[in-house]
Each structure stands twice: as structure tokens, then as C-alpha cells.
Amino acid sequence: MLEARLSSFLREGQRLQVSAAAVGAVALAVVLLLLPNWLSGYWLRITTSVLMFATLAQAWNIITGFTGYPAFGNTAFFGVGAYALAILVTKAGLGIPAAIVLAGLAAAAFCAVIGLPILRLQGHYFAIATLALSLFVREAAANLGWLTNGAIGIVLPTLASGSPEEITRPYYYLMLLVLVACCACTWWVSVSRFGYGLRSIKADEDAAACFGINTTLSKLVAWVLSAFFTGLAGAVWALWITFIDPQSAFNLAIAVKFSVMALLGGLGTVAGPVLGALLVEVLTQAIWGAFYAVHLAVLGLAIMLIVLLMPGGLMQLLRDRLATAKRLLATPSAKESWR
Amino acid sequence: MSATVAPALDVRGVVKGFGAVRAVDGVSLAVRSGEVLGVVGPNGAGKSTLVNIISGLVKADAGEIAYRGVPIHRLSPDEVARLGVARTFQIVKPLRDLSVIENVMVGALFGRRQCRSTREARRIAEEALAQVQLGHRAEAECRKISTGETKKLDLARALAMDPDVLLLDEPLAGVGARESQTLIELIVGLAKSGKAILLVEHVVRVVWTISDRVAVLHHGAKIAEGPPKEVAADDQVMAAYLGERYIREVLQRPADDAEPGVSSDGDGGP
């Protein structure tokens, strides 16, 4: 009797949670689709940048947050995506949509080739190897002049003309599309059999193998997915920025930024990296405005404080708060059922 | 020894050296379906290394291992696991960030069952947790459970893999007396249901009570094998590796009143 009432109460709660999530998702989608109509060109650029970094942080989350492999050198795939798009559009004359998809696939294919040897390394060694990879690809881009124009770089055609808002709009929607696809993939990872394999590898790779998980293949697929979305973001970025060279396309500062964002938001969660990207970008803008001369120092201080105060990231903090709230809510109702 | 059917697990002449030390020195063992083979020996005898070799984590320098007549010593750990050889760990490594039931689901998803749906895996995991009497902790975070519960979790995960051969590396270490009894009954029941069990255990009394045969390892080599009573009667072996006092005070007593736990057909002796 008591059990039946309790479980129906819990089912009711679950239904409410699911419908609340659905309403929230639809509202968010509408806001994101209409956002360009309300923002100035300046804020539209910042928002597009948030979408790009959220994608990079989320893609990094697949290999680092879920699988436990700190792939700081993901900038290599960002650059490969950017260059692949630039070459496909300017030299092969491909249409934009096909070029974007192919650029993502090029980054994924590149990852599949270099992934097998590098994924044999673990921990710091893996992290350093990926950084070396990024530097190597940058040098390659600078020296393969016949393909990449070397240090001169490649100029790309613009997609739109007119006011600053109109110019930025197509890139905003493209970035949004890439981010949504990346989040959908991460969500799938978080609930699927494949994702359980990745989380087992993160916890203990040897044990994971003993449970029947093909660790080599799982790690490789995780990194290839990560590289694919990173490459897509690089491709859209190249279109948006209209000029790429080795220095800007393989910029390790980008890696610092997306990894800080993912860490702040919460690794191994779907919402975390997106929230982290939003927080860091807004913080950067606010601090930049308020402390013009020393904004980098203040930003660094803010990030240190956040990491110290919430080591599990934003999502952990939210989960803890939610758990406390649920406990407080659950207590009186449990008492009621006893009567 | 009239084995017409290949044993579930057949280990032949396995050798493994680490530097100058021979951790495993030409060990041969066979475990048939439905029997418990106890493996004992002092620390450093090579028990855990042997389990690591069988499960594919460590590659042997020499020797062969067959699972139902099929050689497995060149396979990777995941291939061995998918064939139907599951193991537990001396020092359990629960998959942190996953709840207890999710840890067990991993066994159902990737072991021999290769469960494709997480819903089905959850159902199997619930059953396995009930078997080890850990159902009430299903939703707990695994970093918040006790050592004994971790051991049960490890065993449940191995069961969820649906193995024919179970390699249990000290499943009772750190487990309380009452919980130990539960696990012992479970292990005996699993053997009766047809699983081949290789039991490495430090609690010697338990090994003697539930094993059909016992093998004694010392410095990596097998120095005795046979029905528990015969091995216990081998004064030399027991004095050297378990201590005379231990035999007098512990083994001889429970060996009498634990008769029902000891299977009668202790064939395969030396």
C-alpha cells in the first residue's frame, strides 16, 4: 500500500521532470533560433564564439570527459578542418555544405590514422603527444605551400554582405547546427552501451578490458567522433573568419580555452561544457570591459577561484543542490504516506 | 582421471618471469565444469599472476591455456572475457562515477552476453545484485560502499557477464563473517549449476571447505594438488606453507564438521 503510493508519487515526479525538460528544450530552441533578431552585431559575434567554443569543449568532453584521455592537441583537428574547408572551397570549388561535412570527415580520418599509435600512451604522455601532434600539423601547414599557401594563408569568400548583424547571421546558424549535432552525439554517448564502455575505460582501462570491452577500438571511435566535431567547428570558423594561416588555425590558446570551459562546466556531463563556455565567454567580456589593462590577470584569478571552490564543475554543484532540494521535498511527503 | 570431455579451463606449463624472478614456474591446472579448484600459497606464490595470465592481462613467457579445448593464451583480455571467462580482482577497482548497478550493467553489456540494450542489461544486473544480496545498494555511488560490498559488486559484475569459467581472486578478503557465509554458499551453488571455478583465497579454511580439489603454489611452482583432505594430510606441504600450528588448530577441526561442503568425487588427484 505504502509502496504503491510512494512509487506512484515517484512516477508522477518523473513525468513532471520529463515534461519540464521537454518544455525547456523547446523554449531554448525557439530562443536560440530567434536570438540573431535581437542581438547587435557585437553580441552576435560573441554568441557565435560561445557556440564555437561550446562545440570544441563538448567534442573534447567525449575523449577527455567520458574516456579520460586528455587530448589537449585537439587543436590539430580544428586546424585540419579549417584548412580542409579552405582548400575544398578555393581550390576544388566545392559548395559550402559539402565542404563543411567533408572537412569534418577529413579531421576524423586524420584522427583515425594517428589515433592508433598515440592512444597507446596514457595520462601525461598522451597529453604531450597530442600537443606535439598539433605543433607538427602546424609546421606541415606552413611548409606544404603548394596545398596551403604556406605562411601566406588562404583567403575565403564571404557568405553574406550588409550590416554587421547580417554578415554574422549565417555563421551563427552554422555554428548552432554543429553544436546541436555535437551535443546530440554526446547525449547518445552518455546513455549508450558505447558510453558505458568509455566510462569504464576512464575508470580503469585494464579492468575494462577484463569485462569484455574492446578498449583500443572504443578509444579510437571516441577520439574520431571528437575530431569530427572539432573539424566541423574549424571549418565553420574558417568560413566566418575568411582568412586562415597556420598561426591562427593551429593556435594552442584555443585548446587552453576549451579545456578550461569543459573543466569549469563539468567533464563527463552533457550540459557542463556548454555552460562552461557561456560562463567563461561572458566572464571574459565583463572583465575585459571592467579591467581593460589587467583583464587577463583578473580572468585567470576568477578561473582559479572557481576551480578551487567547485572542483567538480558547475554541473556537480547543480546536482548537489538538486539532491539537497529533493531530500528536503521528499521528507514531508514520506511522512504523509505513513499516516 | 578419465576426462573424455575437454576441461572448461586447461592450463599447461605456464611460465612467467619478471626480471630474475620466476613468478609462475611451469604451472599446470585443469578445472572442469561444476567444480571448485582452490589455489593457495603464501604471498608471492604467483597466484594473482596466474589469474592475470589466464584472463589475458599478462602474457605468459611459455605454456598454453585452453578454454573448452580452444587455445586462449594469445587472446586479449576482452576476447577472453567475451568467450566466457570472467574474473574478479584481489583489489577491486569499481568504476568510479558509475553507480553500483551501472558497474554491474557493464558486465552484462560487454561480457559473453553482449547485451545490446541498456534496459536489458539493467534487468540482468538487478538479478546479479540480488544473487550477491546487494540489491538494496543498487543506486548507491560506488565510492560510498564498504569493502565487503565492493567485493560483492565485483562478483555480481562477473556473474552478469554470464561466464562458464569464474576466476575469483580472493573474493572474501575484507568481507565480514556473515557476508562471507553468503558468498561461500553462492560460490558452491554456482559450481553446482555447472560453472568451473578457480578460487584463489587467503582464508585457507574456506578453500578447504568448498573446494573439490586444492592446488598449492610456492615460489611460482605447483607443489601439491588433490582433494583437500589429501593435501591437508601431506604434512610436509602443510607444515612448510601453512604452518604446523595452523593445521593443528584450524584445519583439522573444520575439516570434520564441514563435510557437506566438500564434494565427494575428488578425482583428478595426484
Side-chain angles (χ1 to χ4, degrees), chain A residues 65 191-194 196-204 206-215 218, chain B residues 55 57 77-78 81-82 87 89 93 95-98 102 105-106 109-111 114-116 118 157 161:
Chain A
V191 296
S192 64
R193 178 175 183 272
F194 175 66
Y196 276 99
L198 297 186
R199 287 192 277 171
S200 303
I201 291 171
K202 181 187 181 183
D204 189 326
D206 277 347
C210 287
F211 305 144
I213 296 163
N214 185 336
T215 53
S218 303
Chain B
S55 59
L57 268 185
D78 54 304
R82 285 199 295 271
R87 66 165 294 173
F89 291 86
K93 309 151 177 177
L95 308 170
R96 54 165 201 272
D97 300 345
L98 295 187
E102 285 179 320
M105 281 168 65
V106 168
L109 289 169
F110 296 98
Q114 291 286 300
C115 225
R116 290 285 144 184
T118 49
R157 184 170 44 207
M161 290 168 71

Side-chain angles (χ1 to χ4, degrees), chain A residues 120-147:
Chain A
R120 288 174 161 270
L121 304 169
Q122 292 184 348
H124 305 309
Y125 298 100
F126 174 79
I128 290 167
T130 68
L131 286 175
L133 172 76
S134 183
L135 295 176
F136 165 78
V137 186
R138 189 178 79 186
E139 286 312 302
N143 287 293
L144 297 173
W146 57 274
L147 187 67

Side-chain angles (χ1 to χ4, degrees), chain B residues 232-260:
Chain B
D234 189 333
D235 287 347
Q236 231 184 330
V237 167
M238 300 319 292
Y241 305 113
L242 298 172
E244 280 187 59
R245 204 179 121 239
Y246 191 83
I247 312 276
R248 257 197 333 269
E249 294 178 4
V250 183
L251 280 184
Q252 282 172 1
R253 234 178 334 120
D256 295 329
D257 56 342
E259 207 63 46

